[in-house]
Amino acid sequence: MPGKLKAKIVAGRHLPVMDRASDLTDAFVEVKFGNTTFKTDVYPKSLNPQWNSEWFKFEVDDEDLQDEPLQITVLDHDTYSANDAIGKVYIDIDPLLCSEAATVISGWLPIYDTIHGIRGEINVLVKVDLFNDLNRFRQSSCGVKFFCTTSIPRCYRAVMVHGFVEELVVNEDPEYQWIDRIRTPRASNEARQRLIFLMSGELQRKIGLKVLEMGGNAVVGYLQCFDLEGESGLVVRAIGTACTLEKISTFPATATHPNNSSPSKDMKEPGFGEEAPGVPLSSGPPTPLRAQTFSSFSPSKSYSRQSSSSDTELSLTPKTVGHLCHFCMIPPSPFCVFQEYPFFTLTAFPPGFLLHVGGVVSARSVKLLDRIHNPDEPETRDAWWEEIRQEIKSHAKALGCHAVVGYSESTSICEEVCILSASGTAAVLSSRFMQDGPLDTEHRFEEVVSPGCGFCHIPYDELNIPFPAQLTYCYCCRRYKVPDVLFTTIDLPTEANVTGKGCLIQARLCRTKKKAQGEGNATAISSLLPFLEYELHTQLMNKLKLRGMNALFGLRIQISVGETMLLGLASATGVYLTALPSPGGIQIAGKTPSDITYEQHISTMQKKINDTIDKNKELYEINPPEVVEEIIGSPIPEPRQRSRLFRSHSESSDEVSELDLSHGKKDAFVLEIDDTDAVEDIHALLTDSPTPAGFYSCNTEIMPGIQNWTSAIQMFTSVRVFRLNANLTNQGLNKIFSDLCENLLKSLYFKLRSMVPCCLCHLNFTVAIPEDELIQVAVTAVAMSFDKEQPLENGKQSGEKTLIKGKHRPLKAMSGIFPPHLSFLSSLSPSLSLALLLSTASSLEKASPLPEGRSRSLRSNRSYSGSSVAVVKMTPLSFIPGAKIIKYLGIINMFFIRETSSLREVAVSLFSDSFRSLFAMVRAHVAALGGNAVVSYSMKECVFMENPNKNQAQCLINVSGDAVIFVRESELESTSVQTQSATTHTSNATL
Amino acid sequence: MSVELDVFVGNTTIMDKEVYQLWLNGYTVNDAVKVRIEGGVMEECEASAEVLLSDTMDQYRTFQMCERLLHHPAKLANQLLFQIPPDRQAMLIERYYAFDDSFVREVLGKKLSKGTKKDLDDVSIKTGITLKSCRRQFDNFKRVFKVVEELKGPLVENIRQHFLLPDQLARDYAAIVFFANHRFETGKKKLQYLTFQDFAFCAGQLINNWTVGAVDNMMEDMDVDLDKEFLQDLKDLKILITDKDLLDQHKNLVCTALRGKTNVFNEMEANFKNLSRGLVNIAAKLINAKDVRDFFIDLVEKVLFKLNKTTNRAEVLKFSQNINSLFSSQFIEPCRSDKLTSIDVNLYLTHYTNSAHILDTFK
């Protein structure tokens, strides 16, 4: 009996009218966990019931605690007929199971109905008491932290990165069970929602177990996906990177405690430095250290949550005070690779970890779905993924790499055909600490390589290149070879030397396919895939060159399959890596040079392309530094110094031409125009319209060349569905698809024009073919404003630098935080606003003994009358500009089904309402956990199904992210916050 | 080929002020797009008409979804569906409840009933305001009316708190509610020269001085109704015209005070009896609800026109203020009307009031 779950139903508000006669509702609540159900009293005749129930207590296994969601159902009491359901709230209590995350769930949560959407709100309190369980054979993994963030979370540091964890669970889809024919759509939707909650809970628990087995305490880069396989079942799978994380002091004592910072560091650091290298890095039986970490971990789990504060949490692990930035202070041995699959779902790494990057590796396979007969042993699905991972591994090996970073997996399903894809970036990781890894001594670089270019140096054998590539000496250090272009799936390393700014580059492709069934269909798709990939690659390459850039980061290729077509969408962020050679232009060559008009046509095209390249270079500020002669000549370059003298780096123009000559014609990318494909390519190249002035876009975390973000961020999701005409040619389809994406981007720019200058970061496109002749494109991204006035720093930037920079402009940040309130106050009559301000303040002070500065900031946050809804920020990025994340409260993983059967309601309103409801629910759950933001937010699934015959439309959305508490850097300085969560809770309660 | 679905949802709800105003003004999506194109937003942001249409449709959808919340502005701050910064919320509310003076002038004093609503298309044609906008404004009036009708306490404050409106707008709504409640006739041709703001001013004065709430702040009654007791007492003023002695005394006092101070003195002196009778009769009749309705028209017809053929707005304004001080003089200290002495009417009424005070009967 290792856990006690307690729930209290406080009140409801804005309930719908359930009794037409009285225009009121007699509401009561059912609280269900597992098989136990409690009920509140009926609160008669009110739309704002005050139940104020007792504490409902569930005594359950921690295994159940992890798997099951708490189900809260609000009903309308009916004396004569069955009680009507108003709606439901599912609460994932996982965040409460980890001592370092949230301690209580308390707040207003939207009551959701799959048919009607949000129907009022309910105020609940949920707590968990965990008892100690030292049973080694236990099935639960409470306390393992999960992060969607694909880098080491901001207030932790990695003691050890253990490696890849994966798991999948399968079940029958309730939507396709026989019982679905007789039950209501609502019941079916709810069964489905509940099942998926259960499955993801189970999945998380199982992954947690694996992590514990490996000796870790957290999963970073946790990526969970659903495969709706229709008749054959429902698969929930997840991958992640197991780590041992250690919380670092939430407040960097940069200037405030310069004295005590260094001694404590000296005291604590060695301990870690010794511990980590001492680990026998083998995949063999448990080592003493594992046992040690395991046991040191258990107490933290058993530790009572109600009196939690960050202080006690810190005392569990050795304290490390005084880090300037945790990234800079990582002990020298955080990573080890000893696994079967040396894969990492991380996309950003601490400096010095990533030694070399080989290039993108990907694998796809087409499978025919069959019914999963035994859900407990999902061997087929496991085997499928196994195959693909093996392939990825061998690809990486061919590139001379022993690891794959930025790894991700995805599927696309149409009827019974399923395309499984995996991709990542082959890389060599810091070899000093990988005794067991498939080490390649040849490529071990003992001396320190300039961090700004080191990762570009080729990891593979020059004489034994697996693919044709042109190698040159690195333009930074001149010692090692680099490729002419570099494609990766990871984020741009912070230490990378970049020239100019980056931009979003997309390749879009649409290919028709014959309708077919079963095996034949699968074969047809398999044979189409390589061509699709090749063309996408060519398109990416052309567009990259057209922008005068030489590297792609965050590359994501999505291939979607429909009955009559295949869609391919590749998105990446192009940059100019200083270390890589300048890209050659694009040359057009005609095959029939006799025709004069044809020649002319070609030359005008050529001119157009050249002009575009020049224009782009200007736009993205790509003016490669010129190399100073003596540096080239110098036999022993000093990389460290070099990187600092980055600006003085230069490269004479004749040097470039010389290089061009040395590579001959190869350097220029030749497009032969006779080829219809090439015409199409060129057309596609030139139709991409440039981003409007003041806008930048990328699909990575950060935009190279922009650092001075303001605090204004706007996360958004946009979905478009386009109906095609039948009988379109490939070319016509391509154009439509490309235009669709372009227009979507254009309308985003238009929508967000008030934020200029701004950058759309983490632009994540997903395409789907929901039906024949329908193309669905969904985009999630965040728009972030930046300051144009401040001089833009070129190229390299380190975490340290940005941190200090942030510190130096507190006033600026201050003015950025509350502009709405300030402007509002000034527009109101002063006496009124003052009164409001005072009343809010007094109520707050009465409620909690807040630290002075804290209450002030809260006050200004909520100065508006009656505004009781705390603002929750959302971002797909792992950070919030101008703010510091001080606590991770747990993972948010939500699955929504929305259905409508009424004629009036069109798809549009269904969709937009679904998104709004979804955002509202995410925000409410985060606020209830005591958080004020969601980072690493992503939309994993967005399915829209229409059944015009039944007048039915259904919408399925799955989102995830990390709930966090952040503090503005400006506030950080003036306050000393200890119990952040406590203050947030009280403020929630008072208002 | 067509776009089947086009949705944009931001974490913070994006609302364009300009589009919001177009929506409020009752423009259709297509008309709104036209206006926006003419406004030059396209050149500004390198957008196409298509983008503009998509944006406008999307915004309209957002506004429609928001509209039910705007009906209960307090809910806007409490709801979870739309994350809107407080300053934006205030803007949304203020603009939603804003109205056109020309529209309100048409319905001022009318019963806020379904019948009136049916006639809105005529109003729309007359004022050039779209029917949609007329309906919104009318529904706003009606909604505010219904909510504050039942409430106790000061009218303006109630409106401000329930609808989170800025002070001036709350005052205007108070005037609308007050007029609708008493069904003051404002539509007659002779009253056409008066603007809504003129009436709103009068309403403010009446609310402050003539209602139950004005008389006794502690009373739990409301500002909407005129104080019956006071109206009853007004009947006693009749003595000013029925008692010959008093009439003469009053006349003498007024004339002494006015002599030399105004060009139209002779006219006033000659007309004194008429004017006095007009005023007192209006006052005495106010106890009947029906006569309350004709209050303004009576004032204009029976007093102002006689006093001066060339009445202007300013005079009526000040006149009403004096009237008010006149009638309330028995209960509260004579108003600050003394300050407004520049105009003849004003002067006349001041002395009319003051003189009445001097008369023994009213001591």
Side-chain angles (χ1 to χ4, degrees):
Chain A
M1 194 60 60
K4 194 190 266 178
L5 171 68
K6 300 191 289 182
K8 184 183 169 101
I9 308 298
V10 183
R13 68 178 182 196
H14 307 156
L15 294 188
V17 170
M18 297 300 282
D19 181 4
R20 287 257 162 262
S22 65
D23 268 2
L24 290 167
T25 296
D26 306 319
F28 71 100
V29 182
E30 269 182 16
V31 186
K32 189 176 175 196
F33 190 81
N35 294 321
T36 320
T37 307
F38 292 103
K39 277 183 194 173
T40 66
D41 298 332
V42 175
Y43 194 92
K45 304 212 182 309
S46 172
L47 298 182
N48 302 294
Q50 305 287 321
W51 292 290
N52 225 341
S53 78
E54 56 183 305
W55 283 98
F56 299 123
K57 292 177 185 129
F58 301 89
E59 296 187 333
V60 278
D61 283 339
D62 48 2
E63 193 182 329
D64 288 339
L65 280 175
Q66 283 193 293
D67 287 5
E68 294 265 354
L70 180 69
Q71 285 182 68
I72 294 172
T73 314
V74 186
L75 299 118
D76 176 50
H77 175 76
D78 229 324
T79 322
Y80 304 108
S81 58
N83 299 326
D84 295 324
I86 295 172
K88 281 196 164 200
V89 181
Y90 292 94
I91 300 178
D92 180 12
I93 47 170
D94 216 53
L96 297 180
L97 302 178
C98 177
S99 58
E100 277 168 43
T103 53
V104 66
I105 294 173
S106 158
W108 290 101
L109 300 175
I111 302 166
Y112 184 76
D113 178 73
T114 58
I115 310 283
H116 294 103
I118 289 183
R119 305 180 93 190
E121 290 125 39
I122 187 166
N123 196 326
V124 292
L125 267 168
V126 183
K127 285 180 181 178
V128 173
D129 284 335
L130 271 187
F131 308 121
N132 204 355
D133 180 16
L134 289 171
N135 181 2
R136 299 288 300 269
F137 303 102
R138 64 202 180 128
Q139 286 300 299
S140 78
S141 55
C142 291
V144 174
K145 294 179 281 287
F146 284 81
F147 300 93
C148 293
T149 304
T150 56
S151 54
I152 302 302
R154 299 259 155 164
C155 53
Y156 290 90
R157 65 172 194 182
V159 175
M160 175 110 73
V161 176
H162 302 274
F164 189 61
V165 279
E166 50 77 31
E167 187 64 80
L168 65 82
V169 293
V170 298
N171 211 317
E172 267 186 276
D173 192 338
E175 188 90 351
Y176 294 90
Q177 282 165 352
W178 66 269
I179 194 169
D180 202 55
R181 290 182 200 160
I182 52 167
R183 66 180 164 193
T184 62
R186 176 181 282 125
S188 148
N189 292 338
E190 281 172 4
R192 218 171 172 193
Q193 267 191 323
R194 198 182 107 82
L195 178 73
I196 288 174
F197 256 108
L198 265 171
M199 285 170 79
S200 51
E202 184 190 340
L203 194 70
Q204 232 171 301
R205 174 174 58 81
K206 284 186 171 169
I207 289 219
L209 277 172
K210 286 192 176 177
V211 171
L212 289 179
E213 211 172 278
M214 292 163 96
N217 65 359
V219 182
V220 180
Y222 185 67
L223 176 78
Q224 190 189 47
C225 292
F226 297 95
D227 296 334
L228 301 166
E229 294 185 353
E231 293 276 329
S232 56
L234 186 66
V235 177
V236 186
R237 59 194 162 76
I239 54 174
T241 307
C243 298
T244 304
L245 295 184
E246 178 195 74
K247 198 155 193 231
I248 52 169
S249 166
T250 45
F251 294 93
T254 36
T256 38
H257 316 287
N259 295 328
N260 71 6
S261 70
S262 52
S264 70
K265 213 190 299 168
D266 289 342
M267 264 153 51
K268 305 294 180 192
E269 283 298 308
F272 272 92
E274 281 157 24
E275 191 180 74
V279 184
L281 299 167
S282 69
S283 49
T287 61
L289 177 84
R290 279 197 201 162
Q292 196 190 337
T293 37
F294 189 72
S295 60
S296 76
F297 175 64
S298 298
S300 80
K301 183 184 73 72
S302 60
Y303 147 81
S304 161
R305 232 64 67 43
Q306 266 137 313
S307 59
S308 155
S309 77
S310 48
D311 266 334
T312 41
E313 274 161 35
L314 277 174
S315 67
L316 290 172
T317 49
K319 234 182 224 174
T320 47
V321 198
H323 286 288
L324 247 178
C325 164
H326 63 281
F327 265 147
C328 324
M329 295 294 174
I330 294 281
S333 69
F335 286 83
C336 68
V337 183
F338 50 77
Q339 266 207 310
E340 188 184 0
Y341 298 114
F343 295 170
F344 299 88
T345 53
L346 303 181
T347 58
F349 304 91
F353 173 64
L354 196 66
L355 284 188
H356 311 292
V357 170
V360 169
V361 284
S362 75
R364 279 176 220 285
S365 88
V366 183
K367 298 286 181 192
L368 270 180
L369 296 173
D370 51 346
R371 188 168 276 275
I372 300 165
H373 293 292
N374 183 3
D376 291 331
E377 284 170 34
E379 275 140 352
T380 25
R381 301 298 183 277
D382 269 335
W384 290 354
W385 288 111
E386 202 100 314
E387 262 172 44
I388 285 188
R389 287 173 195 143
Q390 282 297 349
E391 204 179 324
I392 292 272
K393 199 174 157 186
S394 66
H395 284 332
K397 226 171 206 159
L399 283 172
C401 297
H402 59 245
V404 175
V405 293
Y407 180 73
S408 67
E409 294 174 348
S410 64
T411 57
S412 169
I413 297 169
C414 175
E415 300 294 318
E416 75 270 86
V417 175
C418 174
I419 302 182
L420 310 177
S421 323
S423 71
T425 305
V428 175
L429 304 180
S430 183
S431 53
R432 264 182 292 167
F433 321 111
M434 287 181 295
Q435 275 90 11
D436 207 71
L439 202 61
D440 206 351
T441 39
E442 264 176 77
H443 297 289
R444 195 194 270 187
F445 295 81
E446 296 303 333
E447 59 286 60
V448 189
V449 186
S450 162
C453 66
F455 76 95
C456 309
H457 302 160
I458 52 161
Y460 36 83
D461 190 352
E462 208 181 313
L463 302 168
N464 203 2
I465 311 174
F467 49 84
Q470 296 143 31
L471 303 178
T472 38
Y473 279 106
C474 172
Y475 277 55
C476 275
C477 66
R478 292 275 156 198
R479 295 180 67 195
Y480 301 104
K481 292 282 179 77
V482 291
D484 55 343
V485 283
L486 188 61
F487 284 15
T488 72
T489 57
I490 54 169
D491 272 334
L492 184 72
T494 44
E495 69 271 22
N497 286 341
V498 176
T499 305
K501 295 199 173 65
C503 77
L504 179 79
I505 293 179
Q506 278 193 326
R508 303 140 187 157
L509 208 61
C510 215
R511 282 285 169 266
T512 50
K513 149 186 117 54
K514 282 208 177 75
K515 244 184 191 164
Q517 292 293 316
E519 201 103 4
N521 197 14
T523 324
I525 292 169
S526 319
S527 57
L528 267 173
L529 277 180
F531 295 100
L532 206 65
E533 289 211 58
Y534 174 77
E535 279 180 51
L536 281 174
H537 187 269
T538 315
Q539 237 186 71
L540 277 178
M541 194 68 106
N542 287 341
K543 289 191 177 179
L544 185 68
K545 292 202 182 278
L546 195 69
R547 284 172 177 79
M549 296 173 182
N550 58 19
L552 286 181
F553 286 89
L555 176 65
R556 197 168 157 271
I557 301 179
Q558 206 200 344
I559 289 182
S560 203
V561 58
E563 291 232 323
T564 57
M565 62 179 157
L566 282 171
L567 278 183
L569 180 68
S571 312
T573 301
V575 293
Y576 186 99
L577 283 177
T578 320
L580 264 51
S582 166
I586 299 173
Q587 227 179 48
I588 298 177
K591 267 187 183 163
T592 46
S594 51
D595 196 342
I596 293 173
T597 51
Y598 191 67
E599 286 274 275
Q600 265 176 342
H601 175 65
I602 287 178
S603 66
T604 48
M605 286 268 247
Q606 182 72 59
K607 195 175 172 304
K608 246 187 192 166
I609 287 176
N610 291 347
D611 286 350
T612 319
I613 294 178
D614 288 343
K615 226 167 64 194
N616 279 329
K617 279 190 174 171
E618 204 177 304
L619 181 65
Y620 301 112
E621 295 162 31
I622 299 170
N623 31 10
E626 295 176 7
V627 177
V628 175
E629 285 305 321
E630 67 233 33
I631 289 179
I632 297 170
S634 132
I636 314 154
E638 283 175 83
R640 283 210 170 262
Q641 210 178 359
R642 181 79 53 69
S643 72
R644 253 176 235 144
L645 290 170
F646 174 62
R647 288 223 183 88
S648 69
H649 255 225
S650 55
E651 182 182 300
S652 60
S653 50
D654 46 1
E655 176 71 19
V656 174
S657 61
E658 194 187 301
L659 276 171
D660 279 350
L661 282 174
S662 71
H663 292 295
K665 279 264 174 182
K666 273 183 188 172
D667 202 48
F669 207 75
V670 181
L671 284 175
E672 291 194 338
I673 202 154
D674 265 0
D675 194 339
T676 44
D677 279 356
V679 172
E680 200 182 304
D681 285 342
I682 291 167
H683 191 74
L685 276 180
L686 295 171
T687 48
D688 269 12
S689 47
T691 52
F695 273 107
Y696 291 95
S697 58
C698 63
N699 74 336
T700 47
E701 285 256 312
I702 45 162
M703 175 72 170
I706 302 175
Q707 283 128 54
N708 35 348
W709 303 109
T710 65
S711 57
I713 63 168
Q714 166 72 281
M715 198 278 298
F716 58 86
T717 289
S718 185
V719 180
R720 274 194 189 181
V721 176
F722 203 78
R723 184 171 293 282
L724 304 167
N725 281 349
N727 305 323
L728 274 167
T729 58
N730 273 342
Q731 248 161 295
L733 271 176
N734 261 353
K735 174 139 179 30
I736 288 167
F737 182 41
S738 188
D739 286 350
L740 178 60
C741 295
E742 281 292 315
N743 287 337
L744 186 53
L745 277 171
K746 270 186 208 159
S747 61
L748 294 182
Y749 294 136
F750 182 74
K751 279 261 181 212
L752 299 159
R753 63 192 185 283
S754 63
M755 293 184 75
V756 160
C758 93
C759 178
L760 304 189
C761 292
H762 215 286
L763 265 168
N764 188 7
F765 275 71
T766 44
V767 289
I769 307 170
E771 269 173 59
D772 256 6
E773 288 156 16
L774 281 188
I775 298 180
Q776 176 190 314
V777 182
V779 190
T780 301
V782 63
M784 305 209 288
S785 291
F786 59 90
D787 256 327
K788 219 166 197 172
E789 270 66 61
Q790 284 189 339
L792 294 177
E793 262 180 76
N794 206 8
K796 64 202 161 93
Q797 136 214 29
S798 67
E800 196 174 333
K801 210 187 223 164
T802 37
L803 193 78
I804 291 164
K805 242 179 101 167
K807 292 261 162 205
H808 275 301
R809 46 181 187 93
L811 271 175
K812 183 128 214 115
M814 190 59 150
S815 68
I817 299 168
F818 305 121
H821 307 280
L822 289 178
S823 63
F824 167 65
L825 290 183
S826 59
S827 74
L828 253 183
S829 71
S831 62
L832 169 67
S833 58
L834 199 68
L836 291 172
L837 212 66
L838 287 175
S839 67
T840 339
S842 62
S843 68
L844 270 174
E845 266 145 28
K846 242 183 280 166
S848 64
L850 290 170
E852 184 50 38
R854 190 75 212 135
S855 64
R856 175 155 40 86
S857 65
L858 276 173
R859 210 179 299 164
S860 38
N861 261 333
R862 297 145 190 275
S863 60
Y864 191 63
S865 67
S867 171
S868 70
V869 182
V871 171
V872 174
K873 295 220 173 199
M874 289 166 82
T875 173
L877 306 180
S878 65
F879 66 99
I880 292 163
K884 191 158 175 56
I885 293 169
I886 58 163
K887 196 169 179 187
Y888 282 80
L889 299 165
I891 205 165
I892 294 279
N893 191 355
M894 286 195 178
F895 184 80
F896 292 81
I897 298 178
R898 183 72 200 277
E899 185 166 319
T900 178
S901 50
S902 77
L903 255 173
R904 293 177 290 113
E905 238 175 337
V906 273
V908 185
S909 61
L910 176 76
F911 236 117
S912 64
D913 192 53
S914 303
F915 278 116
R916 267 181 236 287
S917 311
L918 183 124
F919 284 3
M921 287 168 82
V922 170
R923 286 193 301 254
H925 278 88
V926 170
L929 285 168
N932 56 6
V934 184
V935 295
S936 300
Y937 169 87
S938 71
M939 186 169 70
K940 301 285 172 48
E941 200 81 51
C942 174
V943 186
F944 176 67
M945 284 165 294
E946 224 177 350
N947 191 344
N949 301 331
K950 282 205 238 161
N951 275 327
Q952 259 184 352
Q954 201 185 39
C955 169
L956 269 102
I957 310 172
N958 173 226
V959 297
S960 63
D962 294 326
V964 298
I965 300 174
F966 73 87
V967 186
R968 291 267 166 230
E969 266 161 16
S970 53
E971 282 174 53
L972 251 178
E973 280 169 2
S974 59
T975 53
S976 55
V977 188
Q978 295 102 355
T979 50
Q980 175 68 23
S981 60
T983 55
T984 323
H985 283 311
T986 41
S987 59
N988 273 347
T990 47
L991 290 168
Chain B
M1 275 162 287
S2 59
V3 175
E4 287 266 302
L5 186 133
D6 182 6
V7 173
F8 177 97
V9 180
N11 182 33
T12 305
T13 308
I14 294 183
M15 288 172 174
D16 186 306
K17 278 187 190 175
E18 189 205 348
V19 185
Y20 185 53
Q21 197 55 54
L22 293 171
W23 176 74
L24 288 175
N25 290 349
Y27 283 74
T28 62
V29 173
N30 287 332
D31 289 346
V33 170
K34 263 180 226 152
V35 173
R36 293 183 82 185
I37 289 174
E38 280 158 22
V41 74
M42 255 158 69
E43 290 75 41
E44 214 175 281
C45 319
E46 306 165 32
S48 65
E50 203 181 324
V51 167
L52 215 56
L53 178 68
S54 142
D55 178 61
T56 312
M57 289 221 286
D58 186 62
Q59 300 253 5
Y60 266 52
R61 204 155 46 226
T62 310
F63 299 141
Q64 273 153 24
M65 289 169 90
C66 252
E67 192 167 13
R68 69 184 170 82
L69 293 166
L70 285 165
H71 292 167
H72 312 278
K75 269 193 189 168
L76 196 64
N78 273 323
Q79 50 82 37
L80 303 173
L81 208 53
F82 300 90
Q83 182 158 288
I84 306 170
D87 64 320
R88 280 271 140 163
Q89 287 183 19
M91 184 278 288
L92 288 178
I93 295 166
E94 184 174 345
R95 292 215 183 171
Y96 190 80
Y97 283 90
F99 50 79
D100 293 299
D101 278 357
S102 58
F103 171 78
V104 73
R105 194 59 192 76
E106 293 297 319
V107 295
L108 193 67
K110 283 188 185 152
K111 198 177 172 190
L112 299 174
S113 62
K114 276 190 184 141
T116 317
K117 198 175 177 182
K118 267 181 200 153
D119 299 336
L120 285 183
D121 32 6
D122 296 338
V123 177
S124 168
I125 291 162
K126 192 173 166 192
T127 56
I129 298 163
T130 59
L131 184 59
K132 218 180 147 216
S133 178
C134 287
R135 291 213 171 115
R136 171 182 60 84
Q137 297 182 34
F138 182 81
D139 290 339
N140 282 344
F141 297 161
K142 197 170 170 181
R143 197 175 317 110
V144 174
F145 183 85
K146 284 215 156 168
V147 168
V148 295
E149 197 181 24
E150 307 294 324
L151 288 174
K152 289 161 184 172
L155 184 61
V156 178
E157 196 50 38
N158 279 341
I159 294 174
R160 207 167 55 188
Q161 278 186 2
H162 270 83
F163 292 91
L164 307 176
L165 297 179
D167 195 53
Q168 187 50 51
L169 198 53
R171 280 178 199 287
D172 288 349
Y173 268 93
I176 293 164
V177 168
F178 190 75
F179 268 68
N181 191 46
H182 294 285
R183 314 260 299 276
F184 286 116
E185 176 61 66
T186 63
K188 285 273 155 57
K189 212 172 179 182
K190 278 179 183 158
L191 292 175
Q192 281 310 311
Y193 66 95
L194 291 166
T195 65
F196 168 70
Q197 283 308 327
D198 299 335
F199 282 116
F201 179 83
C202 298
Q205 292 296 324
L206 293 176
I207 292 169
N208 282 337
N209 297 307
W210 285 15
T211 57
V212 190
V215 179
D216 186 352
N217 282 330
M218 291 302 116
M219 283 252 295
E220 79 269 22
D221 216 321
M222 39 239 160
D223 277 352
V224 192
D225 295 317
L226 292 173
D227 183 11
K228 283 266 154 40
E229 221 175 296
F230 164 66
L231 296 178
Q232 192 68 43
D233 289 345
L234 283 179
K235 271 187 171 175
D236 299 342
L237 284 174
K238 276 214 164 173
I239 198 161
L240 274 177
I241 47 170
T242 49
D243 188 314
K244 188 89 173 59
D245 279 354
L246 270 177
L247 184 70
D248 288 342
Q249 272 186 50
H250 191 201
K251 185 182 174 181
N252 281 339
L253 281 166
V254 172
C255 290
T256 321
L258 281 176
R259 196 182 305 273
K261 286 181 185 162
T262 169
N263 309 330
V264 286
F265 174 72
N266 291 333
E267 237 173 280
M268 283 187 173
E269 194 180 20
N271 265 325
F272 182 83
K273 202 175 158 185
N274 256 341
L275 289 170
S276 187
R277 186 175 296 139
L279 275 172
V280 172
N281 277 336
I282 292 170
K285 281 199 303 183
L286 281 179
I287 194 69
N288 305 319
K290 208 197 151 292
D291 293 309
V292 170
R293 285 182 203 174
D294 293 335
F295 180 61
F296 286 97
I297 190 86
D298 284 350
L299 277 183
V300 172
E301 277 179 355
K302 294 180 184 157
V303 182
L304 280 177
F305 275 119
K306 286 177 191 165
L307 198 63
N308 193 340
K309 297 288 178 199
T310 59
T311 43
N312 60 38
R313 274 208 336 247
E315 283 169 31
V316 173
L317 277 185
K318 285 170 184 152
F319 170 73
S320 117
Q321 206 160 26
N322 280 286
I323 286 285
N324 131 53
S325 66
L326 159 77
F327 292 144
S328 61
S329 57
Q330 292 152 317
F331 298 91
I332 56 169
E333 284 304 300
C335 269
R336 292 168 203 132
S337 51
D338 305 43
K339 284 181 202 159
L340 314 154
T341 52
S342 56
I343 293 181
D344 299 334
V345 188
N346 193 10
L347 206 59
Y348 170 77
L349 286 165
T350 313
H351 292 295
Y352 183 90
T353 317
N354 288 349
S355 309
H357 270 280
I358 299 167
L359 295 175
D360 292 338
T361 336
F362 292 100
K363 277 186 179 165

